[in-house]
Amino acid sequence: MKRICVLGSTGSIGLSTLDVARHLPDRLKIVGLGARSDGEKLKAQIAEFQPSRAALADAQAIDRLRGDLEPSGTKLLKGPEGLVELAKADDVDVVLSAITGYAGLEPGLAALRAGKTLALANKESLVAAGPLMLEAARQGGATIVPVDSEHSAIFQAMASGRRDEVRRVIITASGGPFRTASLKDMEEAAPAQALRHPTWSMGPKITIDSATMMNKALEIVEARWLFGLEPEQIEILVHPQSIIHSLVEFRDGSVIAQMGHPDMRVPIQYALTWPERLDSPVRKLNLAELRSLTFEAPDPMRFPALELGHRAVRAGGTMGAVLNAANEAAVEAFLAGDLRFTRIAAIVRDAMDAHRVVASPTLEDLKAADAWARAEARRLVGSAKGNPIHA
Ligand code: NAD
Ligand code: MG
C-alpha cells in the first residue's frame, strides 16, 4: 500500500489522481489533500477519502470549513506553510504535486528534502528552480517521477537503454487550438478560443500555454533537469493526434516511443505505482481504428515562445525563473482581457532580454527573480495597453 498526498487535489490533474486512487483502493491510500481555495470540493474529497490531513492555501477558506469538518478526524492546516506540512508528513510515501505555477515550489522542495517520491505535474517548479530541486532530492535521497505526459513517455522509453546511450529526445506537441490558424487570427484570439484545446482537457493556465506553445518551452527546461540533457539534445515535433507522447533516440539509431490515448490517468498511475504497472480502466489503443498518425515541424514564426525554452536552458541560473514568472503574469493578463494573445510570448522574451542572470542562485535569488519578472511583465502589459500598435 502506498500512502499518497495530493497537492492541487481540486484541479484537473488532482481529480484524475483521485480517480486513479478510486480504482486501486488496495494499493493506493490518500493520506493528504491540499489546494488553494475551493472548500466545497475539498470537503467532498475529505468525506470520500478520509485523509489524515488536508490544507488550503487560502486560510479563510479553511476556517470556514472547520465547524463542518473537525469531527471527521482529518487535521486541517492552512496557508502555504500548511501545504509544506502536508508534503513532509511522516505517513506520506508519494507526494503528487499538481499545484499550478511557482506556488508548487516550496511544497515540492519540502517533499524531496523529507525523502518522499515526488510525482511531479507542477513543471513550473522545475523550470524555475531545477538545480535546487535536484539538490533537495539528493539531500533527501528522494526521486522525482514525472507526471507530465511527455516526460513520463521519455522516462519510460529511457528504460530501454543507459542514460549515456541516449542521443536525443523528441517531445511531441499537439500544436494546440491555433496549429493551423493565421497570425492575424491569433492576434485577435479571445480567451475563450485559446481555451479550446483539441486533444487534452486541462486547467486554464496550461491550456493557454499549449495555445502559445510556451508549454513546450517549459517542457524543454523540464526535460533538461529531469534527464540531464543538453539543449541540443531536445527537439519538438508537432503530432496533432496526441497518441505518441514522446520519443527517445539511442546512439544505435533506435527510436523508442510511448503511445496511448490522451488520458492523464496513465502517466499519473505510472508515477504513483512506479516501478510497477497495474491494471487501469483507460481505453485500449486501437491503431487500425485510428488509421494514421501525422507529424509536422513546429512553426517558429507563429509560435515564437518555442525558442525561449532552449534559450533559458543555455542562459541557466535565474533565467528559468524569469521565463516562468513572466509567462504566469502574461497569461493572467491575457485571461483578464488586458493583453493580446500574440503579446504573451513577446512580453516573456522582453523580460528575459532585460534580465541580468544570477549564475548559481539560492532560493532567495530565485524568489527575487520571480518577483522581478512578474513586475516587469505587468509593467510591459501596462505600457502595451497605452500603445495601440503593441496592444
Ligand atoms: P488546475 O488549474 O486545474 O488545478 C490547479 C490546482 O492547484 C487546483 O487544485 C488549485 O487549487 C491548486 N492551486 C493553484 N494555486 C495554488 C496555490 N497558490 N497554492 C495551493 N494550491 C494551488 O491545473 P491543472 O491542469 O490540474 O495543472 C496542474 C499542474 O499540472 C500544472 O503545473 C500543469 O502545468 C501540470 N500539468 C497538467 C496537465 C493536465 O493535463 N491538466 C498535464 C501536464 C502537466
Ligand atoms: Mg505535457
Side-chain angles (χ1 to χ4, degrees):
M1 185 70 106
K2 279 194 186 171
R3 298 163 301 174
I4 317 288
C5 165
V6 188
L7 304 179
S9 66
T10 58
S12 164
I13 293 284
L15 295 176
S16 295
T17 303
L18 294 180
D19 198 47
V20 167
R22 208 172 271 133
H23 284 98
L24 295 171
D26 306 332
R27 303 300 297 268
L28 305 175
K29 173 158 177 47
I30 302 295
V31 295
L33 292 169
R36 181 171 43 198
S37 55
D38 191 338
E40 286 309 309
K41 251 190 211 162
L42 186 74
K43 199 159 102 180
Q45 294 179 347
I46 291 173
E48 181 179 355
F49 293 97
Q50 302 180 341
S52 34
R53 291 171 204 79
L56 288 176
D58 177 343
Q60 286 167 349
I62 200 94
D63 287 337
R64 282 195 291 274
L65 292 183
R66 257 180 222 288
D68 287 357
L69 286 177
E70 220 106 72
S72 73
T74 296
K75 185 175 177 198
L76 300 181
L77 303 162
K78 62 183 174 185
E81 44 314 330
L83 290 156
V84 165
E85 208 176 309
L86 271 190
K88 63 183 190 191
D90 281 342
D91 64 356
V92 172
D93 301 311
V94 182
V95 173
L96 187 132
S97 177
I99 291 175
T100 287
Y102 185 80
L105 177 58
E106 294 203 38
L109 286 172
L112 292 170
R113 289 193 190 114
K116 316 297 185 190
T117 298
L118 181 61
L120 188 68
N122 172 238
K123 65 189 87 184
E124 294 94 339
S125 56
L126 260 188
V127 172
L132 249 63
M133 298 275 287
L134 298 185
E135 176 54 24
R138 203 192 53 77
Q139 271 176 21
T143 311
I144 305 176
V145 184
V147 169
D148 210 351
S149 56
E150 296 77 3
H151 302 71
S152 176
I154 294 168
F155 185 75
Q156 295 178 58
M158 286 250 183
S160 295
R162 290 199 317 259
R163 287 291 160 93
D164 63 349
E165 295 168 341
V166 171
R167 196 143 70 189
R168 59 176 180 147
V169 305
I170 302 164
I171 296 178
T172 53
S174 69
F178 302 133
R179 181 175 62 89
T180 58
S182 69
L183 192 55
K184 191 170 174 300
D185 287 343
M186 289 165 74
E187 269 162 10
E188 280 153 23
Q193 290 168 286
L195 284 168
R196 226 173 280 136
H197 196 279
T199 50
W200 295 98
S201 153
M202 313 180 283
K205 194 264 179 179
I206 184 174
T207 304
I208 300 303
D209 288 345
S210 301
T212 56
M213 293 192 81
M214 188 67 81
N215 188 42
K216 293 302 139 180
L218 302 177
E219 290 184 351
I220 287 170
V221 187
E222 183 184 12
R224 190 257 181 281
W225 297 121
L226 282 173
F227 306 113
L229 297 163
E230 295 306 317
E232 53 281 1
Q233 289 179 290
I234 311 171
E235 287 176 28
I236 302 293
L237 174 70
V238 175
H239 165 44
Q241 298 83 19
S242 302
I243 297 293
I244 296 184
H245 299 305
S246 278
L247 312 96
V248 176
E249 182 183 276
F250 290 91
R251 60 194 294 183
D252 60 359
S254 271
V255 179
I256 310 288
Q258 188 262 347
M259 299 197 248
H261 288 291
D263 184 331
M264 286 307 293
R265 291 177 302 175
V266 176
I268 290 170
Q269 177 170 318
Y270 186 66
L272 294 179
T273 65
W274 170 84
E276 270 189 282
R277 291 183 186 273
L278 300 178
D279 291 345
S280 145
V282 305
R283 194 152 62 98
K284 276 203 248 165
L285 188 61
N286 182 337
L287 288 172
E289 210 168 73
L290 285 168
R291 296 174 63 92
S292 71
L293 300 179
T294 60
F295 307 95
E296 60 204 47
D299 176 2
M301 299 303 288
R302 285 179 308 129
F303 297 101
L306 272 172
E307 63 137 356
L308 302 177
H310 281 120
R311 189 175 148 193
V313 172
R314 288 200 188 92
T318 41
M319 197 57 105
V322 169
L323 165 69
N324 177 64
N327 180 55
E328 286 188 28
V331 170
E332 265 168 37
F334 170 69
L335 285 173
D338 290 339
L339 189 69
R340 281 197 185 213
F341 180 77
T342 45
R343 288 288 299 158
I344 298 173
I347 280 184
V348 177
R349 187 201 55 219
D350 289 354
M352 288 170 75
D353 284 347
H355 180 61
R356 285 242 220 91
V357 175
V358 178
S360 300
T362 61
L363 185 57
E364 290 313 307
D365 294 330
L366 290 171
K367 278 186 187 160
D370 175 272
W372 173 84
R374 277 171 214 273
E376 179 66 7
R378 288 189 194 116
R379 190 185 68 74
L380 291 164
V381 169
S383 59
K385 260 204 266 186
N387 181 346
I389 298 167
H390 294 288

